[in-house]
Amino acid sequence: EFVRLALGGVHDEAEIRGHRRTYIGALPGQIIQLMKRSGTVNPVILLDEVDKIGKDFRGDPSSALLEVLDPEQNNTFRDHYLDIDYDLSNVFFIATANVLHTIPPALQDRLEILSLSGYTESEKKEIAVRHLLPKQSEGNGMDIEKVKFTDDGILEIIRHYTREAGVRSLEREIGSCIRKVARQFVVSNKVKDFKEVIDAEKVRELLGTIKFRKQDISRKSEVGLVNGLAWTEVGGDVLQVEATIVKGRGGVQLTGKLGEVMQESAHAALTCVRTRADELGIDSKDFRRKDLHIHVPEGAIPKDGPSAGITMVTAMVSALTRKPARYDVAMTGEITLRGKVLPIGG
């Protein structure tokens, strides 16, 4: 038997453990209620959105879940309402979460974590063709034969109107297109021979200005321009790092809304370059006579993390030696003062 418990916004420990019977309106906790609802001692219980549990003065429900999810302890789970030991060891628990960093480490320790990656572009296209188009056509009162999306049209929506790991926004944008076509269908009065083919151009006409632009990767190698790889919540992205030298007094300027860790990473990168100046053929006097400016484009977007270290080193060396960095290579990893590149996180 399958039962589901939504944990989003649960902030009272009694939701899991139950209330003591001395309180008015006391109830058993949700776990015991789910066991009752399933009518069996070995159901599958889905704990939905375990990363969105609240924590405040009323208690910490994630701590109450420790005993529920620990296979060594949960054969003597004690609900405050029942006040006797209850065996949960035959239950198969499945928890879902979008991010791991909001789940307390003690709770993570009791979970076996299976990471599911987001969809690729071609997977999104297949999901749209097989599932989203029929569903949205029916939901908006259009016959599927009357609205035909070309592959280019679907890819246009995926690339320029959505930025996500799943397909929720994609479904919304497809629904928006179909509703606009449905309006044209009603106005046209052509009931039998109406057919609309939606290609990339038609998508732009229906949905308006492009919402997301892919950052263009440089098509030629340039001095002081290096490609880094960034981790975002909706998948990977290529991040360009620019470095340039101007006459000055050896100052360093960092721009692009960089977080504290990234700024420290840039200072470590500069020290790493200075210690190897002779090997790299850089005149050590340049560090006193010139200013270095490092900029990470799309200045309005906050960026943080140490993994741009190697990218910054390469950009600095490229700027100081006047040698272009290869445009067809992207890199990521933290840099140490001794010039070691550490494995990446995220």
Side-chain angles (χ1 to χ4, degrees):
E1 292 297 320
F2 176 78
V3 279
R4 173 178 166 272
L5 170 61
L7 291 173
V10 170
H11 45 63
D12 192 348
E13 204 178 317
E15 291 268 337
I16 308 292
R17 277 207 184 277
H19 304 79
R20 299 199 186 280
R21 286 196 298 273
T22 50
Y23 294 113
I24 292 169
L27 280 169
Q30 289 287 350
I31 301 293
I32 297 295
Q33 287 185 43
L34 289 175
M35 295 298 290
K36 184 180 171 189
R37 203 188 314 160
S38 68
T40 171
V41 291
N42 60 348
V44 174
I45 294 184
L46 178 73
L47 303 173
D48 213 2
E49 309 284 11
V50 77
D51 56 330
K52 294 178 182 64
I53 293 183
K55 181 180 177 181
D56 60 9
F57 63 92
R58 280 168 285 204
D60 180 7
S62 59
S63 300
L65 279 176
L66 295 180
E67 190 188 356
V68 173
L69 296 176
D70 192 334
E72 301 298 322
Q73 295 175 9
N74 67 6
N75 58 346
T76 56
F77 173 68
R78 185 167 281 244
D79 186 274
H80 288 157
Y81 185 85
L82 294 184
D83 210 23
I84 52 168
D85 290 349
Y86 188 89
D87 186 0
L88 288 174
S89 58
N90 293 322
V91 179
F92 192 79
F93 287 103
I94 301 174
T96 67
N98 288 31
V99 287
L100 280 179
H101 57 78
T102 53
I103 303 173
L107 186 54
Q108 276 192 47
D109 190 39
R110 284 155 175 83
L111 305 172
E112 183 176 341
I113 291 157
L114 308 174
S115 298
L116 305 175
S117 54
Y119 298 121
T120 62
E121 208 170 75
S122 51
E123 284 171 337
K124 286 182 183 179
K125 187 178 96 192
E126 273 305 309
I127 292 167
V129 171
R130 292 190 203 177
H131 304 285
L132 306 183
L133 289 173
K135 182 180 168 188
Q136 286 297 322
S137 297
E138 190 184 331
N140 292 303
M142 281 299 284
D143 188 353
I144 189 109
E145 302 300 320
K146 295 194 186 314
V147 186
K148 173 90 168 66
F149 274 83
T150 64
D151 286 356
D152 286 350
I154 295 171
L155 288 172
E156 178 71 17
I157 298 177
I158 294 168
R159 286 172 187 163
H160 295 135
Y161 293 89
T162 62
R163 184 173 281 174
E164 55 180 353
V167 291
R168 274 196 196 126
S169 296
L170 176 59
E171 186 173 357
R172 274 196 291 272
E173 299 296 346
I174 286 172
S176 179
C177 286
I178 291 174
R179 280 192 295 280
K180 287 177 179 175
V181 171
R183 184 166 172 269
Q184 292 171 12
F185 171 61
V186 172
V187 172
S188 70
N189 288 326
K190 294 180 194 166
V191 177
K192 284 189 178 169
D193 53 355
F194 181 88
K195 187 167 185 189
E196 187 69 71
V197 176
I198 301 177
D199 55 11
E201 206 174 306
K202 186 73 179 170
V203 165
R204 286 193 288 271
E205 187 187 312
L206 292 171
L207 295 180
T209 315
I210 286 173
K211 290 180 188 168
F212 302 103
R213 286 182 192 281
K214 282 262 189 285
Q215 188 175 2
D216 288 333
I217 305 306
S218 178
R219 287 277 163 253
K220 64 180 198 296
S221 300
E222 292 180 45
V223 172
L225 181 69
V226 182
N227 295 318
L229 291 170
W231 175 90
T232 70
E233 299 221 331
V234 296
D237 211 352
V238 176
L239 197 74
Q240 293 186 321
V241 174
E242 300 173 344
T244 189
I245 305 284
V246 289
K247 284 184 179 172
R249 297 179 182 175
V252 180
Q253 198 173 356
L254 305 169
T255 53
K257 209 169 184 188
L258 309 183
E260 206 174 305
V261 178
M262 205 159 172
Q263 290 183 26
E264 286 183 358
S265 185
H267 291 299
L270 181 61
T271 306
C272 175
V273 173
R274 291 181 77 160
T275 55
R276 288 155 180 263
D278 295 341
E279 286 174 51
L280 295 164
I282 299 167
D283 186 355
S284 53
K285 290 176 188 167
D286 281 356
F287 293 112
R288 288 195 299 275
R289 292 185 301 216
K290 292 177 181 175
D291 285 356
L292 190 61
H293 187 146
I294 295 165
H295 177 65
V296 185
E298 297 211 26
I301 298 169
K303 307 164 197 78
D304 205 0
S307 296
I310 176 62
T311 322
M312 289 180 181
V313 165
T314 314
M316 288 175 192
V317 172
S318 171
L320 287 161
T321 57
R322 307 302 300 159
K323 287 181 181 171
R326 279 177 58 170
Y327 74 93
D328 57 351
V329 173
M331 55 192 77
T332 178
E334 183 176 349
I335 195 82
T336 68
L337 294 181
R338 292 166 302 153
K340 297 262 188 296
V341 182
L342 302 184
I344 57 162

